[in-house]
Amino acid sequence: LDSIVINKIIKILGNQFGIIIYNYSWIFAATDCCRSYPIFWRLNKKKITLSPQANLIKEEYDEINYDQLQAYRMSGYTIDDSTLWKKISNLKSGSYLFFTKKNLKLVLKQYFLYENWNFKNKKISLYENLLKKEINKLLNNIIKDAKGRRIIIPLSAGLDSRLIVSGLRKHNYKRV
């Protein structure tokens, strides 16, 4: 697989995914930009093992990563692509892994990276219109993904749930 094909696959997958594809000669794994579904991996001499849960690929005598254990105890999270075990890594958000079985080549690449915003002084109406377009795009995606099924939205009295409910009403989606 080349990077053009990989980018097409990732674009097709949408916003929330964690995917692992095994082939007779290669393995591909990717996570979305917020790592909705984690993927953990370990590389042994001639094979790579992947799982959505690190403890499923942990071996009996794996060493604990005490730096990550301290970070986990302090924050509830490990740092970067490390886990609680030294030989197990996680696939970072917005990244993919490509492993060729023939020459045992591992490629890790981040396809999405959060960048600093460049602020420009423009009229607020421009930003309001851009926001409306993005909200409508998201609502259209929700409607498309629902395929006519009922959409259930827990109302929390917060702005997010109100926005979705009122937006679906504006788009005349009846099964809410």
Side-chain angles (χ1 to χ4, degrees):
L1 286 176
D2 63 18
S3 61
I4 294 171
V5 173
I6 290 171
N7 288 332
K8 284 182 181 180
I9 291 170
I10 288 168
K11 190 172 184 178
I12 290 168
L13 291 172
N15 295 328
Q16 294 182 318
F17 66 87
I19 186 168
I20 300 171
I21 301 172
Y22 284 86
N23 183 302
Y24 65 93
S25 61
W26 50 262
I27 298 170
F28 171 76
T31 59
D32 60 20
C33 64
C34 63
R35 202 170 155 257
S36 303
Y37 302 94
I39 296 175
F40 298 91
W41 62 276
R42 74 177 304 135
L43 185 61
N44 288 341
K45 294 174 186 170
K46 292 188 177 183
K47 76 174 192 175
I48 189 167
T49 309
L50 296 103
S51 173
Q53 296 180 5
N55 64 330
L56 295 180
I57 59 175
K58 177 188 158 309
E59 293 179 356
E60 187 175 351
Y61 299 105
D62 274 349
E63 283 185 62
I64 291 176
N65 186 333
Y66 287 101
D67 291 335
Q68 294 301 326
L69 181 60
Q70 182 180 5
Y72 180 78
R73 286 178 174 162
M74 293 173 66
S75 67
Y77 298 95
T78 56
I79 298 169
D80 201 31
D81 62 350
S82 298
T83 66
L84 295 174
W85 296 280
K86 286 186 178 181
K87 293 186 178 181
I88 300 175
S89 297
N90 76 70
L91 195 54
K92 292 195 263 186
S93 57
S95 296
Y96 68 82
L97 170 154
F98 190 78
F99 180 75
T100 53
K101 296 177 184 178
K102 185 177 180 181
N103 59 7
L104 305 175
K105 182 179 177 188
L106 175 67
V107 174
L108 290 168
K109 186 170 182 184
Q110 193 155 6
Y111 67 88
F112 180 86
L113 187 62
Y114 290 103
E115 296 179 12
N116 293 331
W117 294 358
N118 293 326
F119 290 100
K120 298 176 183 170
N121 287 333
K122 294 185 179 180
K123 290 184 179 182
I124 194 153
S125 60
L126 172 70
Y127 293 110
E128 288 171 344
N129 288 333
L130 289 171
L131 180 60
K132 285 178 189 175
K133 282 182 184 178
E134 282 301 311
I135 291 171
N136 281 321
K137 190 164 90 174
L138 290 169
L139 289 166
N140 285 325
N141 285 340
I142 291 170
I143 291 168
K144 181 182 167 193
D145 289 345
K147 298 178 182 168
R149 295 176 296 193
R150 182 178 310 265
I151 298 174
I152 298 172
I153 301 151
L155 295 175
S156 63
L159 296 177
D160 296 344
S161 56
R162 290 185 204 182
L163 173 70
I164 294 168
V165 169
S166 61
L168 290 172
R169 182 177 172 110
K170 181 181 176 193
H171 283 265
N172 294 318
Y173 195 84
K174 306 286 184 207
R175 301 205 62 210
V176 179

PDB file of all heavy atoms in Angstrom, residues 10 15 25 53 69 89 100 134 146 150 154 159 166-167:
ATOM      1  N   ILE A  10      -8.398   6.055   4.747  1.00  0.00           N
ATOM      2  CA  ILE A  10      -8.676   6.818   5.968  1.00  0.00           C
ATOM      3  C   ILE A  10      -9.807   7.811   5.732  1.00  0.00           C
ATOM      4  O   ILE A  10     -10.684   7.978   6.582  1.00  0.00           O
ATOM      5  CB  ILE A  10      -7.387   7.521   6.457  1.00  0.00           C
ATOM      6  CG1 ILE A  10      -6.433   6.460   7.023  1.00  0.00           C
ATOM      7  CG2 ILE A  10      -7.691   8.578   7.493  1.00  0.00           C
ATOM      8  CD1 ILE A  10      -5.030   6.937   7.286  1.00  0.00           C
ATOM      9  N   ASN A  15     -15.140   9.630  10.722  1.00  0.00           N
ATOM     10  CA  ASN A  15     -14.642  10.326  11.907  1.00  0.00           C
ATOM     11  C   ASN A  15     -14.311   9.441  13.093  1.00  0.00           C
ATOM     12  O   ASN A  15     -13.533   9.836  13.940  1.00  0.00           O
ATOM     13  CB  ASN A  15     -15.659  11.376  12.355  1.00  0.00           C
ATOM     14  CG  ASN A  15     -15.835  12.466  11.324  1.00  0.00           C
ATOM     15  OD1 ASN A  15     -14.893  12.803  10.617  1.00  0.00           O
ATOM     16  ND2 ASN A  15     -17.032  12.999  11.230  1.00  0.00           N
ATOM     17  N   SER A  25       0.555 -10.642   3.119  1.00  0.00           N
ATOM     18  CA  SER A  25       1.914 -10.093   3.066  1.00  0.00           C
ATOM     19  C   SER A  25       2.106  -8.814   3.886  1.00  0.00           C
ATOM     20  O   SER A  25       3.224  -8.373   4.068  1.00  0.00           O
ATOM     21  CB  SER A  25       2.324  -9.834   1.617  1.00  0.00           C
ATOM     22  OG  SER A  25       1.448  -8.898   1.022  1.00  0.00           O
ATOM     23  N   GLN A  53      -6.962  -4.002  23.204  1.00  0.00           N
ATOM     24  CA  GLN A  53      -6.677  -3.964  24.637  1.00  0.00           C
ATOM     25  C   GLN A  53      -5.239  -4.431  24.874  1.00  0.00           C
ATOM     26  O   GLN A  53      -4.868  -5.532  24.484  1.00  0.00           O
ATOM     27  CB  GLN A  53      -7.642  -4.851  25.413  1.00  0.00           C
ATOM     28  CG  GLN A  53      -9.072  -4.387  25.337  1.00  0.00           C
ATOM     29  CD  GLN A  53      -9.996  -5.295  26.122  1.00  0.00           C
ATOM     30  OE1 GLN A  53      -9.565  -6.225  26.800  1.00  0.00           O
ATOM     31  NE2 GLN A  53     -11.280  -5.028  26.032  1.00  0.00           N
ATOM     32  N   LEU A  69       3.781   4.135  34.642  1.00  0.00           N
ATOM     33  CA  LEU A  69       2.947   3.809  35.798  1.00  0.00           C
ATOM     34  C   LEU A  69       2.766   5.041  36.681  1.00  0.00           C
ATOM     35  O   LEU A  69       1.667   5.331  37.150  1.00  0.00           O
ATOM     36  CB  LEU A  69       3.563   2.655  36.604  1.00  0.00           C
ATOM     37  CG  LEU A  69       2.781   2.206  37.834  1.00  0.00           C
ATOM     38  CD1 LEU A  69       1.385   1.722  37.464  1.00  0.00           C
ATOM     39  CD2 LEU A  69       3.555   1.105  38.569  1.00  0.00           C
ATOM     40  N   SER A  89       3.196  -0.825  22.714  1.00  0.00           N
ATOM     41  CA  SER A  89       2.956   0.580  22.368  1.00  0.00           C
ATOM     42  C   SER A  89       1.508   0.744  21.948  1.00  0.00           C
ATOM     43  O   SER A  89       0.829  -0.224  21.633  1.00  0.00           O
ATOM     44  CB  SER A  89       3.859   0.998  21.205  1.00  0.00           C
ATOM     45  OG  SER A  89       5.217   0.918  21.570  1.00  0.00           O
ATOM     46  N   THR A 100       5.162  -4.922   6.803  1.00  0.00           N
ATOM     47  CA  THR A 100       5.306  -5.917   5.741  1.00  0.00           C
ATOM     48  C   THR A 100       5.941  -7.171   6.332  1.00  0.00           C
ATOM     49  O   THR A 100       6.971  -7.101   7.001  1.00  0.00           O
ATOM     50  CB  THR A 100       6.161  -5.384   4.576  1.00  0.00           C
ATOM     51  OG1 THR A 100       7.396  -4.907   5.081  1.00  0.00           O
ATOM     52  CG2 THR A 100       5.441  -4.274   3.832  1.00  0.00           C
ATOM     53  N   GLU A 134     -20.291  24.237   8.821  1.00  0.00           N
ATOM     54  CA  GLU A 134     -19.754  23.040   9.491  1.00  0.00           C
ATOM     55  C   GLU A 134     -20.838  22.303  10.266  1.00  0.00           C
ATOM     56  O   GLU A 134     -20.897  21.076  10.247  1.00  0.00           O
ATOM     57  CB  GLU A 134     -18.605  23.419  10.427  1.00  0.00           C
ATOM     58  CG  GLU A 134     -17.294  23.687   9.718  1.00  0.00           C
ATOM     59  CD  GLU A 134     -16.801  22.504   8.912  1.00  0.00           C
ATOM     60  OE1 GLU A 134     -16.759  21.361   9.430  1.00  0.00           O
ATOM     61  OE2 GLU A 134     -16.456  22.715   7.734  1.00  0.00           O
ATOM     62  N   ALA A 146     -27.661   7.701   9.805  1.00  0.00           N
ATOM     63  CA  ALA A 146     -28.844   7.114  10.445  1.00  0.00           C
ATOM     64  C   ALA A 146     -29.656   6.270   9.464  1.00  0.00           C
ATOM     65  O   ALA A 146     -30.357   5.347   9.873  1.00  0.00           O
ATOM     66  CB  ALA A 146     -29.714   8.218  11.041  1.00  0.00           C
ATOM     67  N   ARG A 150     -34.313   5.642  13.762  1.00  0.00           N
ATOM     68  CA  ARG A 150     -34.574   6.576  14.861  1.00  0.00           C
ATOM     69  C   ARG A 150     -33.246   7.028  15.461  1.00  0.00           C
ATOM     70  O   ARG A 150     -32.346   6.238  15.664  1.00  0.00           O
ATOM     71  CB  ARG A 150     -35.428   5.907  15.929  1.00  0.00           C
ATOM     72  CG  ARG A 150     -35.790   6.824  17.091  1.00  0.00           C
ATOM     73  CD  ARG A 150     -36.679   6.120  18.098  1.00  0.00           C
ATOM     74  NE  ARG A 150     -37.799   5.483  17.447  1.00  0.00           N
ATOM     75  CZ  ARG A 150     -39.009   6.041  17.324  1.00  0.00           C
ATOM     76  NH1 ARG A 150     -39.229   7.228  17.810  1.00  0.00           N
ATOM     77  NH2 ARG A 150     -39.979   5.389  16.722  1.00  0.00           N
ATOM     78  N   PRO A 154     -29.804  11.888  24.188  1.00  0.00           N
ATOM     79  CA  PRO A 154     -30.026  12.190  25.607  1.00  0.00           C
ATOM     80  C   PRO A 154     -29.916  13.705  25.823  1.00  0.00           C
ATOM     81  O   PRO A 154     -28.930  14.317  25.444  1.00  0.00           O
ATOM     82  CB  PRO A 154     -28.881  11.462  26.320  1.00  0.00           C
ATOM     83  CG  PRO A 154     -28.262  10.570  25.306  1.00  0.00           C
ATOM     84  CD  PRO A 154     -28.607  11.113  23.970  1.00  0.00           C
ATOM     85  N   LEU A 159     -25.688  22.663  25.679  1.00  0.00           N
ATOM     86  CA  LEU A 159     -25.827  23.230  24.343  1.00  0.00           C
ATOM     87  C   LEU A 159     -25.658  22.197  23.235  1.00  0.00           C
ATOM     88  O   LEU A 159     -26.277  22.312  22.176  1.00  0.00           O
ATOM     89  CB  LEU A 159     -24.825  24.374  24.149  1.00  0.00           C
ATOM     90  CG  LEU A 159     -25.037  25.581  25.069  1.00  0.00           C
ATOM     91  CD1 LEU A 159     -23.938  26.609  24.840  1.00  0.00           C
ATOM     92  CD2 LEU A 159     -26.398  26.209  24.827  1.00  0.00           C
ATOM     93  N   SER A 166     -32.300  20.555  17.688  1.00  0.00           N
ATOM     94  CA  SER A 166     -32.872  21.648  16.890  1.00  0.00           C
ATOM     95  C   SER A 166     -32.384  21.578  15.443  1.00  0.00           C
ATOM     96  O   SER A 166     -33.142  21.891  14.516  1.00  0.00           O
ATOM     97  CB  SER A 166     -32.552  23.011  17.517  1.00  0.00           C
ATOM     98  OG  SER A 166     -31.166  23.224  17.567  1.00  0.00           O
ATOM     99  N   GLY A 167     -31.143  21.153  15.231  1.00  0.00           N
ATOM    100  CA  GLY A 167     -30.632  21.013  13.868  1.00  0.00           C
ATOM    101  C   GLY A 167     -31.342  19.916  13.106  1.00  0.00           C
ATOM    102  O   GLY A 167     -31.661  20.078  11.919  1.00  0.00           O
TER     103      GLY A 167
END
